[in-house]
Amino acid sequence: MFYRKIEFRSYEHTKTISKEKQMATLTKITLPVGIARFPHLNRPDTKFVEAGAYKANVAVSSEKAAPVIKRLQEIAKAELGKALPKADNSLWKEETDDNGDPTGMVMFKCSVKNVITKDGTLWDRKPVQYDSDLNKVNENIYGGSELAVACDVWAWEYSGKKGLGLQPTAVQIHKLVEGPEGSGDHGF
C-alpha cells in the first residue's frame, strides 16, 4: 500500500500506513538536483542486506539544501518530538574535505531495502528512473551524475524507538555519468 505518484517539483504528500504492528507516517518530498555519491540504482547493494538495498545519496549545495533541511526538521519535531542534529544524522551529512573542512555541500542519505515477503518472494523496491523529459529509462548511473531524487520520508516507531529515513522511490537524471566502456569485460 505505497503511494507511487511521482512529480519532479516541490510537493508533499502525507499518508499513515500500518505494517506488522509498526505504525509509520510517510511523507513524500523531492530533493533538489544534486551530485550522486556512490549510487546503487541499477542493482541492489547486497554487502550488508541479503535481499539488497538501493542507494541514491546526493550532494547538494548548502543553499539549495537549507529549505529541505528546514522541512525535514519540522517533520522530525512533529514525529520524534525533537529536532535532528544539524551536521550529521540519519537523513543528511555536511560534507568535508580530506582536512575535515566543510565543502559547502550537504549529502542527503537515501536508501531503501528490498523485502522478502512471508511467502518467500522478493519485493524489489528499485527506484524508477526518468530522464530530464520524464521518460522512463534504465541507465547505469555512476557517481558524479546529477539527479533529482523523490523520497519517502519514513517516520517509524518500533519497540519504543523512533527514527526517520529517506527512501528513494524515483530519480530524474539531469546529467548521466557512465562507467568506463567495457569495464566488466576483463574477467577480474
Side-chain angles (χ1 to χ4, degrees):
M1 178 163 72
F2 287 87
Y3 188 79
R4 278 294 216 195
K5 183 179 177 188
I6 304 300
E7 294 179 19
F8 289 97
R9 55 185 171 203
S10 249
Y11 86 101
E12 210 171 285
H13 175 79
T14 303
K15 184 176 188 177
T16 301
I17 56 180
S18 175
K19 185 176 182 181
E20 299 176 0
K21 300 179 186 177
Q22 169 178 316
M23 287 302 292
T25 302
L26 179 68
T27 302
K28 295 191 72 61
I29 64 168
T30 300
L31 300 175
V33 175
I35 300 166
R37 300 283 196 238
F38 304 104
H40 281 273
L41 291 166
N42 296 85
R43 55 191 164 125
D45 180 5
T46 57
K47 186 172 182 177
F48 299 108
V49 180
E50 184 178 338
Y54 292 99
K55 298 176 191 171
N57 297 346
V58 291
V60 177
S61 70
S62 297
E63 296 81 30
K64 288 183 182 178
V68 177
I69 290 172
K70 181 180 177 186
R71 179 63 186 130
L72 291 172
Q73 289 287 28
E74 291 170 0
I75 294 169
K77 286 177 187 173
E79 297 294 332
L80 308 177
K82 62 181 179 178
L84 298 169
K86 292 182 180 181
D88 188 6
N89 56 61
S90 63
L91 303 181
W92 70 83
K93 173 183 176 181
E94 288 183 7
E95 286 192 332
T96 57
D97 60 18
D98 293 337
N99 298 325
D101 298 322
T103 63
M105 301 287 280
V106 173
M107 182 180 69
F108 289 99
K109 305 171 189 178
C110 310
S111 66
V112 63
K113 295 177 185 177
N114 286 336
V115 176
I116 307 258
T117 62
K118 288 181 182 180
D119 66 2
T121 58
L122 176 71
W123 174 25
D124 190 358
R125 300 179 70 191
K126 180 179 179 177
V128 181
Q129 296 179 15
Y130 294 95
D131 64 16
S132 57
D133 296 324
L134 294 180
N135 298 311
K136 273 190 177 181
V137 295
N138 189 21
E139 298 290 346
N140 196 6
I141 301 170
Y142 278 76
S145 296
E146 293 180 14
L147 310 173
V149 181
C151 297
D152 292 336
V153 181
W154 189 254
W156 54 267
E157 181 175 352
Y158 189 74
S159 297
K161 296 181 182 179
K162 293 182 178 184
L164 293 178
L166 292 175
Q167 297 180 336
T169 57
V171 296
Q172 183 183 27
I173 304 165
H174 288 264
K175 180 181 174 189
L176 179 64
V177 173
E178 297 180 276
E181 191 172 323
S183 61
D185 297 336
H186 301 293
F188 55 87

